[in-house]
Coordinates of all heavy atoms in Angstrom, one line a residue:
H54 N 0.6 -10.0 -13.4 CA 1.8 -9.2 -13.8 C 3.1 -9.7 -13.2 O 4.2 -9.6 -13.7 CB 1.6 -7.7 -13.6 CG 1.8 -7.3 -12.2 ND1 0.8 -7.5 -11.2 CD2 2.8 -6.7 -11.6 CE1 1.3 -7.0 -10.1 NE2 2.5 -6.5 -10.3
V55 N 3.0 -10.3 -12.0 CA 4.0 -11.3 -11.5 C 3.1 -12.5 -11.2 O 1.9 -12.4 -11.0 CB 4.7 -10.8 -10.2 CG1 5.5 -9.6 -10.4 CG2 3.7 -10.5 -9.0
E120 N 1.4 0.8 -4.5 CA 2.2 0.4 -5.6 C 2.3 1.6 -6.6 O 1.3 2.1 -7.0 CB 1.7 -0.9 -6.2 CG 2.7 -1.4 -7.2 CD 2.3 -2.8 -7.7 OE1 1.6 -3.6 -7.0 OE2 2.8 -3.2 -8.8
Y334 N 10.6 3.1 -0.2 CA 9.9 2.8 -1.4 C 9.5 4.1 -2.1 O 9.8 4.3 -3.3 CB 8.8 1.8 -1.2 CG 8.0 1.5 -2.4 CD1 8.4 0.5 -3.3 CD2 6.8 2.2 -2.8 CE1 7.7 0.2 -4.5 CE2 6.1 1.9 -3.9 CZ 6.5 0.9 -4.8 OH 5.8 0.6 -5.9
M338 N 11.2 5.4 -5.6 CA 10.6 4.9 -6.9 C 10.4 6.1 -7.9 O 10.4 7.2 -7.5 CB 9.2 4.3 -6.6 CG 9.3 2.9 -6.0 SD 10.0 1.7 -7.2 CE 8.6 1.3 -8.2
A342 N 13.3 0.2 -8.5 CA 13.0 -1.2 -9.0 C 14.0 -1.7 -10.0 O 14.0 -2.9 -10.2 CB 11.5 -1.2 -9.5
Q343 N 14.7 -0.8 -10.6 CA 15.6 -1.2 -11.7 C 17.1 -1.4 -11.2 O 17.9 -1.8 -12.0 CB 15.6 -0.2 -12.9 CG 14.3 0.0 -13.5 CD 13.5 -1.3 -13.8 OE1 14.1 -2.3 -14.2 NE2 12.2 -1.3 -13.5
L353 N 16.5 -16.7 -12.4 CA 16.0 -17.4 -11.2 C 15.9 -18.9 -11.5 O 15.2 -19.3 -12.4 CB 14.7 -16.8 -10.8 CG 14.1 -17.3 -9.4 CD1 14.9 -16.6 -8.3 CD2 12.6 -17.1 -9.3
V398 N 21.6 -14.0 -8.7 CA 20.4 -14.0 -9.5 C 20.0 -12.5 -9.7 O 20.1 -11.7 -8.8 CB 19.2 -14.7 -8.8 CG1 17.9 -14.6 -9.6 CG2 19.6 -16.2 -8.5
R399 N 19.5 -12.2 -10.9 CA 19.0 -10.8 -11.2 C 18.0 -10.4 -10.1 O 17.0 -11.0 -9.9 CB 18.3 -10.8 -12.5 CG 19.2 -10.5 -13.7 CD 18.3 -10.5 -15.0 NE 19.0 -11.3 -16.0 CZ 18.5 -12.3 -16.7 NH1 17.2 -12.7 -16.5 NH2 19.2 -13.0 -17.5
P400 N 18.3 -9.2 -9.5 CA 17.4 -8.8 -8.4 C 15.9 -8.6 -8.8 O 15.0 -8.8 -8.1 CB 18.0 -7.5 -7.9 CG 19.1 -7.2 -8.8 CD 19.4 -8.3 -9.7
Q401 N 15.7 -8.2 -10.1 CA 14.3 -8.0 -10.6 C 13.6 -9.3 -10.6 O 12.4 -9.4 -10.4 CB 14.3 -7.3 -11.9 CG 14.7 -5.8 -11.9 CD 16.1 -5.6 -11.4 OE1 17.0 -6.3 -11.7 NE2 16.3 -4.5 -10.7
E402 N 14.3 -10.4 -10.9 CA 13.6 -11.7 -10.9 C 13.3 -12.2 -9.5 O 12.3 -12.9 -9.2 CB 14.4 -12.8 -11.6 CG 14.5 -12.5 -13.1 CD 15.0 -13.6 -14.0 OE1 14.7 -14.8 -13.6 OE2 15.7 -13.3 -15.0
V403 N 14.3 -11.9 -8.6 CA 14.1 -12.3 -7.2 C 12.9 -11.5 -6.6 O 12.0 -12.0 -5.9 CB 15.3 -12.0 -6.3 CG1 15.2 -12.5 -4.9 CG2 16.6 -12.5 -6.9
H404 N 12.8 -10.2 -7.0 CA 11.7 -9.3 -6.5 C 10.4 -9.9 -7.0 O 9.4 -10.0 -6.3 CB 12.0 -7.9 -7.1 CG 10.8 -7.1 -7.3 ND1 9.8 -6.8 -6.4 CD2 10.4 -6.4 -8.4 CE1 8.9 -6.0 -6.9 NE2 9.2 -5.8 -8.1
A405 N 10.3 -10.3 -8.3 CA 9.0 -10.8 -8.8 C 8.6 -12.0 -8.1 O 7.4 -12.3 -7.8 CB 9.2 -11.1 -10.3
W406 N 9.6 -12.9 -7.7 CA 9.2 -14.1 -7.0 C 8.7 -13.8 -5.6 O 7.6 -14.2 -5.3 CB 10.5 -15.0 -6.9 CG 10.2 -16.3 -6.2 CD1 9.7 -17.4 -6.8 CD2 10.4 -16.7 -4.8 NE1 9.6 -18.5 -5.9 CE2 10.0 -18.0 -4.7 CE3 10.9 -16.0 -3.7 CZ2 10.1 -18.7 -3.5 CZ3 11.0 -16.7 -2.5 CH2 10.6 -18.0 -2.4
Y407 N 9.3 -12.9 -4.9 CA 8.8 -12.6 -3.5 C 7.5 -11.9 -3.6 O 6.6 -12.1 -2.8 CB 9.8 -11.7 -2.8 CG 10.9 -12.4 -2.1 CD1 12.2 -12.6 -2.7 CD2 10.8 -13.0 -0.9 CE1 13.2 -13.3 -2.1 CE2 11.8 -13.7 -0.2 CZ 13.0 -13.9 -0.9 OH 14.0 -14.6 -0.2
L408 N 7.3 -11.0 -4.6 CA 6.1 -10.2 -4.7 C 4.9 -11.2 -5.0 O 3.8 -11.0 -4.6 CB 6.2 -9.2 -5.8 CG 5.0 -8.2 -6.0 CD1 4.6 -7.5 -4.7 CD2 5.2 -7.2 -7.1
G409 N 5.2 -12.2 -5.8 CA 4.1 -13.2 -6.2 C 3.8 -14.2 -5.1 O 2.7 -14.6 -4.9
M410 N 4.9 -14.6 -4.4 CA 4.7 -15.8 -3.5 C 4.0 -15.6 -2.2 O 3.3 -16.5 -1.7 CB 6.0 -16.5 -3.3 CG 6.7 -17.1 -4.5 SD 5.6 -18.1 -5.5 CE 5.3 -19.5 -4.5
A414 N 2.6 -9.9 0.5 CA 3.4 -9.1 -0.4 C 2.6 -8.0 -1.1 O 1.6 -8.3 -1.8 CB 4.0 -10.0 -1.5
V415 N 3.0 -6.8 -0.8 CA 2.6 -5.6 -1.6 C 3.9 -4.8 -1.9 O 4.8 -4.8 -1.1 CB 1.6 -4.7 -0.7 CG1 1.1 -3.6 -1.5 CG2 0.5 -5.6 -0.1
E416 N 3.9 -4.2 -3.0 CA 5.2 -3.8 -3.5 C 5.9 -2.8 -2.6 O 7.1 -2.8 -2.4 CB 5.1 -3.2 -4.9 CG 6.5 -3.1 -5.6 CD 6.4 -2.6 -7.0 OE1 6.4 -1.4 -7.2 OE2 6.4 -3.5 -7.9
E419 N 7.5 -5.1 0.0 CA 8.3 -6.2 -0.5 C 9.6 -5.8 -1.2 O 10.6 -6.3 -1.0 CB 7.4 -7.1 -1.4 CG 8.1 -8.2 -2.1 CD 8.9 -7.8 -3.4 OE1 8.5 -6.8 -4.0 OE2 9.9 -8.4 -3.6
L420 N 9.4 -4.7 -2.0 CA 10.6 -4.3 -2.9 C 11.8 -3.9 -2.1 O 12.9 -4.4 -2.3 CB 10.1 -3.3 -3.9 CG 11.2 -2.8 -4.9 CD1 11.6 -4.0 -5.9 CD2 10.8 -1.6 -5.7
P421 N 11.7 -2.9 -1.1 CA 12.9 -2.6 -0.4 C 13.5 -3.7 0.4 O 14.7 -3.9 0.5 CB 12.4 -1.5 0.5 CG 11.1 -1.0 0.0 CD 10.5 -2.1 -0.7
T423 N 13.4 -6.9 -0.5 CA 14.0 -7.9 -1.4 C 15.2 -7.3 -2.1 O 16.4 -7.7 -1.9 CB 13.0 -8.4 -2.5 OG1 11.9 -8.9 -1.8 CG2 13.6 -9.4 -3.3
L424 N 14.9 -6.2 -2.8 CA 16.0 -5.6 -3.7 C 17.1 -5.0 -2.8 O 18.3 -5.0 -3.1 CB 15.3 -4.6 -4.6 CG 16.2 -4.2 -5.7 CD1 15.5 -4.3 -7.0 CD2 16.6 -2.7 -5.5
Q428 N 19.0 -8.4 -1.4 CA 19.9 -8.6 -2.5 C 21.0 -7.5 -2.6 O 21.8 -7.5 -3.5 CB 19.1 -8.6 -3.8 CG 18.1 -9.8 -3.8 CD 18.7 -11.1 -3.7 OE1 19.5 -11.6 -4.5 NE2 18.4 -11.8 -2.6

Side-chain angles (χ1 to χ4, degrees):
H54 80 281
V55 293
E120 191 169 337
Y334 178 81
M338 280 299 277
Q343 303 313 321
L353 188 77
V398 178
R399 270 182 226 122
Q401 285 66 33
E402 292 194 35
V403 186
H404 152 55
W406 184 80
Y407 277 96
L408 182 57
M410 293 312 291
V415 184
E416 198 175 83
E419 176 280 329
L420 184 67
T423 303
L424 194 128
Q428 301 301 296

